Amino acid sequence: MSQQRPAKGGSGIDVRAAAARSLVPVLTDKGSLAGLDEHSVVVRDRSLLKELCYGTCRRLPRLQALANQLLKQPFKKRDADVHALLLVGIYQLLYMRIPAHAAVGETAGAARLLNKEWATRVLNGCLRRLQREAEALQAVVDRDESVALEHPPWLLDALRTAWPEQWRAIAQANNEPGPMTLRVNQRYNDREAYLQQLTEQGLEGQLCLHAPDGITLTTPCDVSVLPGFEQGHVSVQDEAAQLSAALLVPALAPRPGAHVLDACCAPGGKTAHLLEQFDIALTALDSDNQRLARVDDTLNRLGLSAELKHADATARDWWGGTPFDAILLDAPCSGTGVIRRHPDIKSLRRKDDIRQLAKLQRQLLDNLWTLLRPGGTLLYATCSVLPEENAAQIDAFLARTPDALVTTPHDVAWGEPSGQGRQLFPAESSHDGFFYARLEKRTA
C-alpha cells in the first residue's frame, strides 16, 4: 500500500484530515475502526492518527454533546467529514497535550484537504470558543449522566440494570485504553524468564494475577521490539482471553490427541494458545474468510498447525461426523467487555443488536452441542458484560438441554459468580470484561 505524502500544509493538517476521513464511516454507521488505514499518513504520524481516531470514539458521547453546544446548526449529512474534524479538535483540546494553537489551527486548516475551505472559519470559531468557555460548556453537557460517563444512554441503562453495584466502575474502565498483555509460549520459555528478557530490553511489566502465561506491560510497545516475537516465543492477548486454555485443562490434559473444535475462532489467539498448551487435533472454524486468513498467519508465525475451515457454525455441512472431545465457543457478542479496545462500539452498537446476538448465540449453542461426544466439554465464552448474552443465555440452554451438566469452577480467584458461569469486568491495568461457562455432556 502506498504512503500518502504530506500535503502542502504539512503533516499536522494531513493527519487530522486522515483522522476525519477515517471517522466518517463510524459516524455514519457504514464502517468501523477495523478499517483504519495507518498507511494513509507518513510513519511519524501513525501513532497520532490512531490516538485521534480511537480517542475520539472513546469520548464520543461527550464530544458530540459539546459539538451540539458549539454549533449554531448541525452540519449537513454530506459534511460528516467536517463534523468529524470538529470532534477531533474538541478531543485534542480537552484530552491531549497538543498545544492549543496547533489543535485549533491545524484542525481547522485540515478542512482545506477535504476540499471544504469554507469550514475553516466555522471550525476555528467553534474551537476558539471552546478554549474560552471550556469549563462552562462541560458543566452544561455533564448534567446528562450518559454524557458525563461517555456512554450511549441505552448502554448505560443496561449496565446499571445488570450490575447495580459495578456499573459505574465498568463505564469508567471502558473510557480508558486497555493495557498491553502478552502470552508467553511455554514451549520456549516460562514467563518469569521472559519477563527478565523484557527487563534486559528496557521494557517493564508484571506477571498477570490469573493467567499463568500472562505478562502485562507497564507501557504498550510495538511487537517488533518484543524478544522472540517473530520466532513465536510470545503473542499479544488479554489476560481474560487467556483463561480459556486454563478452563479446558481438565478436558484436554488427560487426553493426548483429543479432537477439539474452536468455533468462531478468528483472529486465532485462543486457537494458538490451545495448540501451545495441549497435544490435540484442532479444527478452527470461522464464517469470515478474511479473518480466517489472520488465524493462518498467527499459526504460521508460531509454528503451529490446525485444520482451518471456512464455514457457518450454526450449520453442520462442514462436519465430518466424528464427535468432538471438546468445543470452545467464543461466541459473537456485543463486545461490551472490550469497549476500551474497540471504542467505536459506543457508536455502532444498538440496543436491538443484543436480542439478535442472543438469538445467534442460542443457535450456535444448540447446533454445536450435537457435535460433542458424551462426556465431552463445551466452553462458552463472550467478551460481553450483558446477562442476556451470558448468564441468562446459559440458564436458558440448561433448561432445554437435559444432558448438560455445569462444571464451571467456583474456586478460582478471578471474576464473580453469574448464573452458572463467571463474569469478569474490565479492570484498570488488568483484564478485559469476559464471561465463561463450562458445560459437560452427560453420558448415558
Side-chain angles (χ1 to χ4, degrees):
M1 192 174 296
S2 62
Q3 278 189 7
Q4 179 176 320
R5 301 298 299 169
K8 63 182 181 180
S11 65
I13 65 171
D14 187 58
V15 68
R16 287 161 177 83
R21 294 189 191 100
S22 301
L23 286 166
V24 167
V26 177
L27 299 177
T28 56
D29 296 328
K30 294 180 180 177
S32 72
L33 289 182
L36 178 63
D37 180 13
E38 296 181 29
H39 295 272
S40 63
V41 297
V42 293
V43 173
R44 68 176 178 272
D45 285 339
R46 288 175 188 169
S47 60
L48 176 57
L49 174 64
K50 189 172 182 179
E51 172 62 20
L52 291 175
C53 292
Y54 277 77
T56 297
C57 286
R58 187 169 286 117
R59 308 293 181 180
L60 191 59
R62 197 162 186 259
L63 302 182
Q64 293 278 37
L66 287 164
N68 292 338
Q69 292 288 315
L70 293 168
L71 290 167
K72 293 181 180 178
Q73 58 185 18
F75 291 113
K76 296 177 181 178
K77 287 185 178 180
R78 65 173 180 265
D79 296 320
D81 49 358
V82 178
H83 183 72
L85 267 183
L86 177 57
L87 298 175
V88 166
I90 298 171
Y91 177 71
Q92 292 170 79
L93 287 175
L94 297 184
Y95 296 102
M96 296 185 72
R97 295 181 178 180
I98 292 175
H101 67 86
V104 174
E106 296 186 352
T107 301
R112 298 189 185 96
L113 297 187
L114 305 177
N115 297 316
K116 295 180 179 178
E117 187 161 354
W118 60 266
T120 58
R121 180 177 54 82
V122 178
L123 293 168
N124 189 70
C126 287
L127 295 175
R128 291 199 179 281
R129 182 187 168 198
L130 179 61
Q131 279 185 277
R132 298 191 304 269
E133 304 175 30
E135 186 174 344
L137 289 169
Q138 291 179 89
V140 170
V141 300
D142 286 345
R143 293 171 188 164
D144 183 334
E145 194 167 45
S146 67
V147 170
L149 288 173
E150 299 170 318
H151 279 59
W154 77 265
L155 180 53
L156 206 62
D157 289 345
L159 294 176
R160 185 188 290 110
T161 299
W163 308 108
E165 295 181 6
Q166 301 97 336
W167 68 274
R168 187 178 292 274
I170 295 171
Q172 290 170 341
N174 286 345
N175 293 338
E176 300 299 328
M180 183 173 179
T181 299
L182 309 179
R183 184 189 76 241
V184 177
N185 188 343
Q186 297 281 356
R187 294 188 176 200
Y188 296 99
N189 229 334
D190 61 49
R191 62 175 182 168
E192 288 80 5
Y194 191 80
L195 182 59
Q196 180 59 38
Q197 290 183 42
L198 291 174
T199 302
E200 292 169 359
Q201 291 283 102
L203 301 172
E204 296 183 1
Q206 59 184 5
L207 303 180
C208 291
L209 290 176
H210 309 304
D213 300 327
I215 297 173
T216 297
L217 297 181
T218 303
T219 303
C221 68
D222 191 276
V223 294
S224 63
V225 305
L226 294 173
F229 180 81
E230 290 300 329
Q231 294 74 36
H233 296 190
V234 68
S235 299
V236 178
Q237 188 181 38
D238 179 72
E239 181 181 13
Q242 293 185 40
L243 295 173
S244 57
L247 285 165
L248 284 169
V249 166
L252 299 182
R255 297 184 66 87
H259 188 38
V260 179
L261 172 67
D262 184 358
C264 312
C265 65
K270 299 180 187 66
T271 308
H273 198 190
L274 291 178
L275 290 167
E276 290 171 2
Q277 289 279 346
F278 306 109
D279 175 18
I280 56 176
L282 190 144
T283 299
L285 186 79
D286 205 272
S287 61
D288 187 325
N289 214 18
Q290 288 186 323
R291 284 169 56 81
L292 196 61
R294 291 179 59 191
V295 180
D296 193 33
D297 290 342
T298 295
L299 297 183
N300 285 336
R301 179 180 65 83
L302 294 167
L304 302 169
S305 62
E307 182 182 15
L308 303 186
K309 282 186 175 290
H310 176 217
D312 181 358
T314 64
R316 300 179 208 170
D317 53 0
W318 54 270
W319 182 46
T322 303
F324 292 99
D325 297 303
I327 296 175
L328 170 59
L329 172 53
D330 187 7
C333 69
S334 62
T336 45
V338 292
I339 286 175
R340 61 188 186 173
R341 301 192 189 277
H342 304 280
D344 49 356
I345 287 173
K346 291 182 180 181
S347 177
L348 300 176
R349 189 65 70 205
R350 299 288 185 272
K351 182 178 181 179
D352 290 344
D353 294 341
I354 309 305
R355 182 174 65 254
Q356 293 301 316
L357 287 164
K359 179 181 178 182
L360 174 59
Q361 293 153 4
R362 182 168 65 249
Q363 292 171 338
L364 288 165
L365 276 165
D366 288 344
N367 185 58
L368 294 174
W369 190 254
T370 65
L371 313 185
L372 186 67
R373 70 165 177 83
T377 293
L378 185 147
L379 181 62
Y380 178 80
T382 76
C383 53
S384 169
V385 295
L386 300 180
E388 297 96 318
E389 303 177 272
N390 297 338
Q393 183 71 259
I394 295 301
D395 284 347
F397 177 74
L398 292 170
R400 65 180 181 270
T401 313
D403 60 346
L405 173 69
V406 178
T407 62
T408 309
H410 293 293
D411 57 350
V412 292
W414 51 265
E416 60 181 74
S418 180
Q420 300 302 316
R422 291 192 76 81
Q423 180 72 60
L424 299 105
F425 303 117
E428 184 180 354
S429 302
S430 186
H431 54 72
D432 291 338
F434 240 83
F435 175 85
Y436 285 108
R438 194 175 66 195
L439 308 172
E440 182 180 314
K441 189 178 240 185
R442 297 178 191 270
T443 54

